[in-house]
Amino acid sequence: MRYRGLRVSLIDRDGTRTTTIYDNQRFPKFYLPHTESRGTYWTIEVTEPPEHSGIGRCFEQLSRAIARRGAIAADIRPLSLRWKRDRTAELLLREESTNRCYRFELTVPSDDDLGSGTYLLPGGLGGLPARLTDPIQYAAGETARRREYGRSGIEQWGQRTQCP
């Protein structure tokens, strides 16, 4: 591997003194995959909406966001994101430790919704709704909601289904 060891150091403002505060021999374990774009990704099944649906940009950003390993939880793996009809998509998640699958129906905003500035992403567990203007906001919000739900929330809010 190219980055076998990773050293994290503190450097004085004038650059004369360096103090090593962390020395990692196994670089891939150092960072959380969902914290940055260089994380690794799951291979998920994606059934894209037709062009005339108007939700393509948000749908694409959502598929990218949920496919990142650890984006929802370390042991929850996304299996598929499918367009169902109109602005409705279906997300299928599997809890790796129990091998249980849960299905969620999501309403995906259209470009017109985002352009008007009137689309609100519902607040998660007691949170406030957010006004969306960009597909990346939508994807980040949906991913954050699933992460906030945690295991018990996914069981409560998702519909248990057969794993493929």
Side-chain angles (χ1 to χ4, degrees):
M1 223 174 123
R2 187 170 165 212
Y3 299 106
R4 181 47 100 192
L6 176 71
R7 180 170 287 145
V8 178
S9 302
L10 289 175
I11 301 173
D12 285 349
R13 288 182 191 260
D14 62 3
T16 58
R17 195 176 86 219
T18 303
T19 306
T20 300
I21 57 171
Y22 186 82
D23 194 6
N24 183 7
Q25 299 303 316
R26 298 184 62 108
F27 180 75
K29 301 269 185 198
F30 179 68
Y31 66 93
L32 296 173
H34 69 271
T35 61
E36 53 185 282
S37 62
R38 69 180 177 177
T40 56
Y41 292 82
W42 296 109
T43 300
I44 66 171
E45 179 187 332
V46 176
T47 305
E48 295 185 10
E51 253 185 69
H52 65 79
S53 68
I55 64 170
R57 290 177 46 218
C58 283
F59 192 90
E60 179 184 359
Q61 289 300 327
L62 180 61
S63 66
R64 289 179 183 178
I66 63 166
R68 195 174 303 129
R69 288 182 187 254
I72 296 170
D75 66 338
I76 295 179
R77 178 182 180 166
L79 298 177
S80 65
L81 179 64
R82 296 183 179 127
W83 175 77
K84 298 305 274 182
R85 66 190 169 286
D86 302 325
R87 296 182 332 153
T88 304
E90 179 184 88
L91 172 61
L92 184 64
L93 302 175
R94 180 174 68 207
E95 187 179 2
E96 294 290 287
S97 58
T98 61
N99 216 21
R100 293 183 185 148
C101 289
Y102 299 92
R103 190 177 81 224
F104 293 87
E105 279 203 357
L106 309 173
T107 301
V108 182
S110 67
D111 291 342
D112 292 339
D113 292 336
L114 296 179
S116 70
T118 59
Y119 186 84
L120 295 177
L121 184 66
L125 309 170
L128 297 173
R131 186 175 314 272
L132 302 181
T133 58
D134 188 84
I136 293 173
Q137 288 177 308
Y138 168 73
E142 283 294 350
T143 305
R145 286 176 68 201
R146 305 292 166 241
R147 186 169 50 248
E148 186 179 310
Y149 285 166
R151 274 182 164 163
S152 60
I154 286 175
E155 289 175 4
Q156 180 180 0
W157 300 104
Q159 182 179 8
R160 190 149 173 215
T161 187
Q162 288 282 60
C163 290

